[in-house]
């Protein structure tokens, strides 16, 4: 037994984990309330290694936000703009394709595309975008749209959710993103995202997609006005849907970023809170194979530590991220593959490049380094990438 568990008041929960017993909601709340981070991490690491061994993954991907114009005014959001705002933006399909073409030269396997609920773009814009990207490279995985975007597109197209998802799938959509979950409890949701879709609507979009054979990720935004019990309630609803559909590929806890929005928070999520949230998620979500430490919100060094606290994935290279950085994130805009591999190796894990479904593309044995892109400079950035970021 781990040294930290020998005298811990969490030992009974460790015994549950070892026996393969499901952790209850009161158990999860106990874990959240514990100050014994070392013992909590030991339980989570055991649960992770039972599922994933000593492997930790990353994906070579690129984020594209097609627009930040949005008809909603979520209090926590620093990204959305109205048409009257000078710093709003809207990309044409050709501009999106050009960004994708540049990223393909860097070896990406996935595009992660989301945006605001645009007040005037027609439904055809979204299907044309998917078709144009699919024509660019049929192997490229298109992970696009949050649940609230799908509901917005259904309204635009005057279609049901299932008809809308079918049209997007036929145009090239491979996977849904997990964004927009925030916190499911109605009172909290009203305080931070009034007017957004309900928890039931979020879950139903993903349920519908899963029943169609699709896969998706899911998230939780923590560290604002919610209670620890609210977090447990959120995880409970995700676990229940996963029991029903088995359609979630991974869970991504997102630490709240407090700048430039309408939700005052005296103390944003600490490193302690980030690690315990990942650990509890790993222990409680026993029907999820993968837990991601989102380095954009945590910073790469803390995300690296999280690999010993239940996480088995560091997310992706990303290249250009707007949403968290507009809310005050101080992390870099991108990570190179070499940096991701180095961070994983330093924890004693074996790096694995994965695809959108968390399936391995390649396993990097000891001493093996990822190939450098011909476009890379010594700084790790390509010329086209530097020009792109400079104009973003």
């Amino acid at each position: 037994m781990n040294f930290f568990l020998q005298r811990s008041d969490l030992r009974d929960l460790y015994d549950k984990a070892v026996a393969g017993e499901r952790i209850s909601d009161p158990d999860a709340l106990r874990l959240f309330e514990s100050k014994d981070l070392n013992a909590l991490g030991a339980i989570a690491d055991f649960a992770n290694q039972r599922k994933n061994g000593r492997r930790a993954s990353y994906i070579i991907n690129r984020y594209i936000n097609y627009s930040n114009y949005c008809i909603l005014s979520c209090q926590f959001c620093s990204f959305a703009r109205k048409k009257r705002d000078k710093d709003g933006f809207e990309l044409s399909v050709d501009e999106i394709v050009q960004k994708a073409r540049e990223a393909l030269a860097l070896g990406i396997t996935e595009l992660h595309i989301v945006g605001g609920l645009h007040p005037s773009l027609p439904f055809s814009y979204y299907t044309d975008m998917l078709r144009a990207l699919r024509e660019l490279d049929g192997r490229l995985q298109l992970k696009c749209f949050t649940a609230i975007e799908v509901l917005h597109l259904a309204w635009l197209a005057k279609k049901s959710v299932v008809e809308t998802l079918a049209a997007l799938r036929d145009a090239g959509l491979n996977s849904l993103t997990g964004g927009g979950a925030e916190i499911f409890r109605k009172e909290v949701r009203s305080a931070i995202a009034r007017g957004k879709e309900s928890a039931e609507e979020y879950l139903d979009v993903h349920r519908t997609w899963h029943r169609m054979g699709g896969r998706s990720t899911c998230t939780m935004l923590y560290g604002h006005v919610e209670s620890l019990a609210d977090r447990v309630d959120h995880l409970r609803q995700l676990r229940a849907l996963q029991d029903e559909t088995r359609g979630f590929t991974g869970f991504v806890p997102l630490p709240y970023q407090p700048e430039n929005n309408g939700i005052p928070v005296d103390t944003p999520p600490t490193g302690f809170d980030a690690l315990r949230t990942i650990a509890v998620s790993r222990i409680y979500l026993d029907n999820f194979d993968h837990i991601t430490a989102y380095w954009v919100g945590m910073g790469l060094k803390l995300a690296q530590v999280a690999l010993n606290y239940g996480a088995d994935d560091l997310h992706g290279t990303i290249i250009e991220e707007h949403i968290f950085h507009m809310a005050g994130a101080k992390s870099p805009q991108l990570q190179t593959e070499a940096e991701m591999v180095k961070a994983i190796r330093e924890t004693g894990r074996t790096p694995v490049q994965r695809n959108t479904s968390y399936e391995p593309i390649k396993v990097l044995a000891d001493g093996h380094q990822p190939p450098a892109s011909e476009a890379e400079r010594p700084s790790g950035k390509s010329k086209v990438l530097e020009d792109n970021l400079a104009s973003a």
Side-chain angles (χ1 to χ4, degrees):
M1 177 181 292
N2 185 288
F3 169 79
F4 296 111
L5 286 161
Q6 291 178 0
R7 298 183 180 179
S8 173
D9 62 359
L10 299 179
R11 178 165 176 178
D12 61 316
L13 298 185
Y14 171 78
D15 291 339
K16 262 193 174 184
V18 170
E21 297 178 23
R22 173 162 277 192
I23 299 298
S24 69
D25 292 2
D27 291 338
L29 186 57
R30 231 180 97 200
L31 291 169
F32 266 122
E33 291 174 341
S34 174
K35 301 301 182 185
D36 194 347
L37 187 61
N38 288 323
L40 183 58
I43 301 170
D45 191 47
F46 172 85
N48 174 39
Q49 289 198 49
R50 183 160 57 187
K51 284 184 176 291
N52 300 297
R54 299 289 297 177
R55 291 185 173 190
S57 60
Y58 64 93
I59 188 169
I60 305 177
N61 65 347
R62 179 193 173 119
Y63 274 25
I64 296 179
N65 299 122
Y66 54 85
S67 176
N68 64 345
Y69 292 127
C70 188
I71 60 175
L72 297 180
S73 299
C74 297
Q75 297 92 313
F76 75 92
C77 183
S78 307
F79 174 72
R81 296 293 184 270
K82 303 304 181 187
K83 278 286 191 175
R84 61 181 177 272
D85 295 325
K86 294 181 180 179
D87 56 347
F89 67 88
E90 173 186 315
L91 301 180
S92 68
V93 170
D94 287 344
E95 288 173 322
I96 292 171
V97 168
Q98 180 58 28
K99 285 178 178 284
R101 184 178 290 113
E102 293 167 357
L104 280 167
L106 300 176
I108 69 161
T109 64
E110 174 193 276
L111 284 177
H112 180 117
I113 302 176
V114 296
L117 306 190
H118 197 284
S120 57
L121 286 175
F123 183 64
S124 59
Y125 168 89
Y126 303 91
T127 51
D128 289 348
M129 173 182 68
L130 292 170
R131 290 192 182 95
L133 292 170
R134 178 60 58 235
E135 290 174 4
L136 183 63
D137 190 326
R139 298 167 299 176
L140 187 59
Q141 292 289 293
L142 302 179
K143 183 177 182 179
C144 311
F145 313 127
T146 61
I148 187 63
E149 285 175 273
V150 171
L151 291 170
H152 178 67
L153 298 184
W155 176 80
L156 279 179
K158 296 180 173 55
K159 297 177 183 289
S160 67
V161 168
V162 67
E163 290 170 335
T164 301
L165 288 170
L168 294 172
R169 181 189 59 192
D170 292 345
L173 179 67
N174 296 111
S175 178
L176 286 183
T177 75
E182 323 314 357
I183 288 288
F184 286 151
R185 189 175 294 280
K186 182 178 179 181
E187 294 78 8
V188 176
R189 208 168 183 81
S190 295
I192 68 170
R194 190 177 301 109
K196 204 167 191 177
E197 90 277 35
S198 66
E200 291 77 15
E201 288 172 320
Y202 174 96
L203 293 167
D204 191 57
V205 168
H206 286 271
R207 178 183 290 108
T208 302
W209 179 243
H210 295 170
R211 286 176 174 172
M212 294 169 62
R215 309 298 297 279
S216 61
T217 51
C218 54
T219 60
M220 176 176 72
L221 183 69
Y222 67 90
H224 39 87
V225 301
E226 88 287 359
S227 68
L228 295 178
D230 293 333
R231 297 187 196 182
V232 174
D233 174 73
H234 187 98
L235 296 175
R236 176 187 59 78
Q237 295 188 61
L238 291 176
R239 190 168 75 172
L241 182 56
Q242 183 74 334
D243 277 342
E244 178 186 337
T245 68
R246 298 288 170 171
F248 288 124
T249 54
F251 173 65
V252 190
L254 301 172
Y256 173 68
Q257 304 296 313
E259 296 182 16
N260 307 318
N261 60 53
I263 304 292
V265 172
D266 293 335
T267 304
T270 61
F272 179 97
D273 194 13
L275 293 177
R276 74 168 172 179
T277 300
I278 283 175
V280 176
S281 300
R282 174 63 288 162
I283 299 164
Y284 182 84
L285 296 176
D286 55 359
N287 53 4
F288 279 69
D289 289 333
H290 305 288
I291 305 293
T292 290
Y294 189 55
W295 66 260
V296 174
M298 301 174 65
L300 185 58
K301 289 184 178 180
L302 187 59
Q304 180 186 39
V305 175
L307 295 179
N308 287 314
Y309 283 80
D312 69 287
D313 179 73
L314 290 183
H315 207 278
T317 50
I318 291 178
I319 297 181
E320 182 183 0
E321 197 281 337
H322 287 291
I323 296 174
F324 268 64
H325 285 89
M326 290 174 74
K330 301 300 189 290
S331 56
Q333 281 277 357
L334 75 158
Q335 297 289 348
T336 65
E337 183 181 11
E339 289 167 334
M340 306 282 276
V341 168
K342 180 175 182 288
I344 291 169
R345 280 218 174 101
E346 287 176 349
T347 68
R349 261 66 176 176
T350 299
V352 178
Q353 182 192 348
R354 66 168 174 89
N355 65 12
T356 300
S357 298
Y358 288 77
E359 298 165 337
I361 293 175
K362 65 182 178 185
V363 178
L364 280 73
D366 289 346
H368 179 75
Q369 295 297 324
S373 164
E374 293 180 0
E376 283 185 342
R377 295 178 170 185
S379 66
K381 297 180 183 178
S382 71
K383 178 64 166 65
V384 294
L385 183 55
E386 289 182 344
D387 291 345
N388 191 15
L389 290 177
S391 62

